[in-house]
Amino acid sequence: MIDQVKALLQRYQIAPSKGLGQNLLVNEAVYQRIVEAAALTSEDVVLEIGPGLGMLTRRLAERAGLVAAIELDRKMVALLQAELGDLSNVTIIAGDVLELDPADALRLAGAPAGAGYKVVANLPYYITSRALRHLLADSTRPNSLVLMVQKEVADRLRTRPGQHSLLSLSVQVFGEVEQVCRVPASAFYPQPKVSSAVVRISTYRAPLVPEQLLGPFFRLLRAGFMQKRKQLHNSLAANLAMSADEVATLLAAADIAPTMRPQALSLAQWRSLTEAFVRRPA
């Protein structure tokens, strides 16, 4: 497969961009794992991010009803339009996923308004966290996401109390995370300096924190993890402009010890803290 990739790049006079994080997957077995993890049917609408040379796009189109593929690199867009022009259920969209409303991308692909969709992406690693926030916090969040990410990020996404991070809690509030497979650097051209992994996020029908509380929930998370090595009462007081007495009252109302550190709290405890936070006197 690597010879096929090199031939395509040469034909269109394209060199993978280091600045855009373009490491192209050249392992057939990993392609199969990604498609299998997406569990596609002919009724599914797929939002693909970073289609690159379109090799995954074609595999997705064989199983899904519609594929909207968002590509930032204009040279890759031209290649995709030429190479995938025979696929009537694929729409290539030139743009930055971080600046696009997913609903608009799906509409351009011909998906019915309000249709559910699945995300499949080989995300440039430098936008992983921002892309996850963008997709999961959107009002039309996907039913599932199958993502190629850096192995270190895959591990962080699946952490439990004691090792939680802002990223893990921000994702786990919306869905269940599981690792599909590990992917060595040798599976890409050019090879990255890190190992990768494919993860699947199966989103819940409703977030584990009620929609109306998500704003204060994320405000508390950011405040707590801004100084994650500090005890929670210190980090909240410093970053929420609250007095020590106010923070002590807040933590007591949520039944959380003030000496706990933010990574030690479970998602349920963060929800309790959020509920206490919005109930506090104005």
Side-chain angles (χ1 to χ4, degrees):
M1 180 173 286
I2 191 169
D3 291 338
Q4 180 185 359
V5 166
K6 289 181 177 180
L8 269 174
L9 293 171
Q10 184 175 11
R11 184 187 311 161
Y12 290 91
Q13 298 184 328
I14 296 174
S17 169
K18 184 176 181 180
L20 295 177
Q22 290 177 343
N23 300 101
L24 307 171
L25 183 63
V26 293
N27 186 297
E28 179 62 39
V30 178
Y31 276 120
Q32 292 178 3
R33 294 295 300 275
I34 292 171
V35 174
E36 289 169 2
L40 300 174
T41 73
S42 60
E43 303 298 315
D44 283 320
V45 177
V46 176
L47 184 67
E48 185 189 8
I49 303 167
L53 301 181
M55 293 184 170
L56 177 58
T57 314
R58 185 171 289 279
R59 289 164 172 80
L60 297 173
E62 290 172 354
R63 300 199 185 191
L66 290 173
V67 179
I70 301 174
E71 177 56 56
L72 178 61
D73 188 335
R74 294 284 176 169
K75 291 183 179 179
M76 289 291 189
V77 169
L79 179 153
L80 290 163
Q81 291 171 336
E83 291 294 318
L84 303 179
D86 59 312
L87 299 177
S88 61
N89 62 337
V90 173
T91 300
I92 308 301
I93 300 170
D96 184 344
V97 66
L98 299 177
E99 298 178 358
L100 283 171
D101 184 334
D104 290 340
L106 299 175
R107 177 180 51 78
L108 289 172
Y117 70 102
K118 297 179 176 181
V119 169
V120 180
N122 182 3
L123 288 174
Y125 292 163
Y126 69 96
I127 69 163
T128 299
S129 296
R130 286 181 291 160
L132 282 169
R133 286 196 298 270
H134 180 62
L135 293 166
L136 291 172
D138 188 77
S139 59
T140 56
R141 67 181 59 94
N143 298 327
S144 65
L145 304 91
V146 176
L147 310 171
M148 179 79 73
V149 298
Q150 188 174 332
K151 179 63 171 61
E152 178 185 347
V153 173
D155 292 339
R156 286 170 56 205
L157 286 172
R158 297 181 297 124
T159 55
R160 292 293 179 258
Q163 296 181 319
H164 266 316
S165 64
L166 176 58
L167 176 62
S168 64
L169 289 162
S170 298
V171 171
Q172 290 177 28
V173 70
F174 292 113
E176 181 179 3
V177 184
E178 59 183 308
Q179 181 173 298
V180 175
C181 62
R182 295 188 64 171
V183 184
S186 60
F188 298 91
Y189 174 79
Q191 291 189 23
K193 295 180 180 180
V194 296
S195 296
S196 305
V198 177
V199 297
R200 176 170 50 208
I201 303 170
S202 303
T203 55
Y204 304 125
R205 288 185 178 273
L208 298 183
V209 171
E211 296 274 2
Q212 67 272 22
L213 295 182
L214 285 175
F217 170 75
F218 283 112
R219 183 182 174 190
L220 284 166
L221 282 184
R222 288 190 292 270
F225 281 96
M226 198 172 292
Q227 295 167 295
K228 64 182 182 180
R229 289 182 176 83
K230 287 191 173 183
Q231 294 178 348
L232 195 59
H233 68 101
N234 288 325
S235 57
L236 293 181
N239 299 305
L240 291 176
M242 296 174 67
S243 69
D245 287 344
E246 288 173 324
V247 172
T249 300
L250 174 64
L251 292 171
D255 196 25
I256 295 171
T259 55
M260 291 186 73
R261 286 179 167 77
Q263 61 267 31
L265 270 64
S266 67
L267 201 155
Q269 288 175 304
W270 280 106
R271 171 174 171 162
S272 296
L273 185 61
T274 303
E275 292 169 343
F277 184 66
V278 299
R279 290 196 308 264
R280 78 195 193 285

